[in-house]
Amino acid sequence: MRLPRALVTAALATAFLVGAGHAPQAVAGELPADTSFFTDPDSQVNKWVAANPGDSRQPRIASRIASQPQAVWFARYSPSTVTADVRKVTSAAASKNQVPVLVAYMIPNRDCGGASAGGAPDLTAYDAWARNFAAGLGSGSSIVILEPDSIALISCLSSSELSARYASLARAASAIHAASPKARVYFDAGHSVWNSASVQASRLRSAGVLTSGDGIYSNVSNYNRTANEVAFAKSVLGQLGGSGLTAVIDTSRNGNGPAPDNAWCDPHGRKVGENPTANTGDPAIDAYLWIKLPGELDGCAGAAGSFSPDYAYELAG
């Protein structure tokens, strides 16, 4: 995720200032416990299930994975269509009285050049993309998972590149709130066996979570058990001190916990975790969500983001 030198113009900065005054409005447990999350009929798993009715793996994948609401990722750089692409999801969710979970995954040089490398060509382009993304959210409720790994994984950034990234994340969140007041924006907290809670909280502050965010998320694309992630998220929130922020946890692949060797890239023996729900029983934790899509690969058993019915079948077991 090494960033090019930021070239944010004065006009662009002015445009983002429309939402720059947003302060977190959430109170603990604000997301209603009976929230119904969006199930995307166009997801890779749903398309596979529909196309393979005779496959012996199909019933298990259909009942255990395809039936559950999952996030919709915006990971391919298409600035001219992203508004319409987002609007398609939010409109479909609104028609079903469901809340969509959308993942904005376009920060320049994401994943520090790893298997999920890519993103916008520079921060100027990213800022424009974020505005276009926000324009499709509409007036209904939504959850935005803002740039997985963008705050936890910064080892490839210089101090100036890091400052530029943090500022751009804050601008993106403010643009989302300005365009869609009912959107809830969650910032990257990594996970419980990565950075310490104090380190992650310091980075989150620098990225503007206290003025531009509604909460934090942890365990995206990872396998740590829910109890450990809840404790970690609460520790991060505690470090942020009385902010009113809350957290969501990715439980899409943590049913068996982490692999024995802590392998993270398509390890075998993993299972899906708790089904997506806002009824967590904990006022600090807004929801358990399936953010990483079960069956979509990390980049070792196949191309990152591609769907593997074999892996899905294993996870669903």
Side-chain angles (χ1 to χ4, degrees), residues 8-212:
V8 182
T9 65
L12 180 61
T14 300
F16 270 104
L17 286 175
V18 172
H22 170 81
Q25 298 298 311
V27 296
E30 182 179 297
L31 195 66
D34 62 353
T35 296
S36 176
F37 296 112
F38 178 59
T39 301
D40 181 14
D42 293 326
S43 67
Q44 291 193 86
V45 65
N46 274 309
K47 287 181 176 179
W48 183 88
V49 164
N52 294 274
D55 192 298
S56 63
R57 300 165 296 182
Q58 195 259 22
R60 180 192 291 182
I61 293 172
S63 64
R64 190 64 188 97
I65 294 178
S67 65
Q68 295 300 319
Q70 300 169 43
V72 180
W73 286 65
F74 294 84
R76 292 183 176 85
Y77 185 61
S78 53
S80 64
T81 65
V82 65
T83 301
D85 294 340
V86 171
R87 186 174 291 127
K88 179 181 178 182
V89 172
T90 55
S91 297
S95 71
K96 299 178 181 179
N97 294 315
Q98 294 176 337
V99 175
V101 179
L102 307 99
V103 182
Y105 193 50
M106 203 57 63
I107 202 75
N109 291 306
R110 66 190 182 207
D111 200 29
C112 273
S116 296
D122 54 44
L123 284 179
T124 300
Y126 178 74
D127 286 349
W129 181 88
R131 290 201 310 274
N132 292 343
F133 173 93
L137 291 171
S139 59
S141 297
S142 62
I143 287 176
V144 177
I145 304 299
L146 186 64
E147 301 299 337
D149 294 344
S150 62
I151 298 175
L153 179 58
I154 60 172
S155 57
C156 57
L157 302 179
S158 70
S159 59
S160 62
E161 289 168 339
L162 180 58
S163 295
R165 170 175 287 188
Y166 285 161
S168 192
L169 289 170
R171 288 193 298 270
S174 293
I176 290 167
H177 286 118
S180 183
K182 289 186 179 180
R184 295 176 60 81
V185 183
Y186 294 83
F187 281 53
D188 172 36
H191 57 73
S192 60
V193 293
W194 199 345
N195 302 308
S196 70
S198 60
V199 165
Q200 200 64 31
S202 176
R203 295 180 183 181
L204 285 158
R205 275 195 204 90
S206 297
V209 71
L210 295 176
T211 54
S212 300

Side-chain angles (χ1 to χ4, degrees), residues 24-29 184 210 214-215 237 240-246:
Q25 298 298 311
V27 296
R184 295 176 60 81
L210 295 176
D214 298 289
L237 293 172
L240 292 169
S243 61
L245 299 175
T246 46

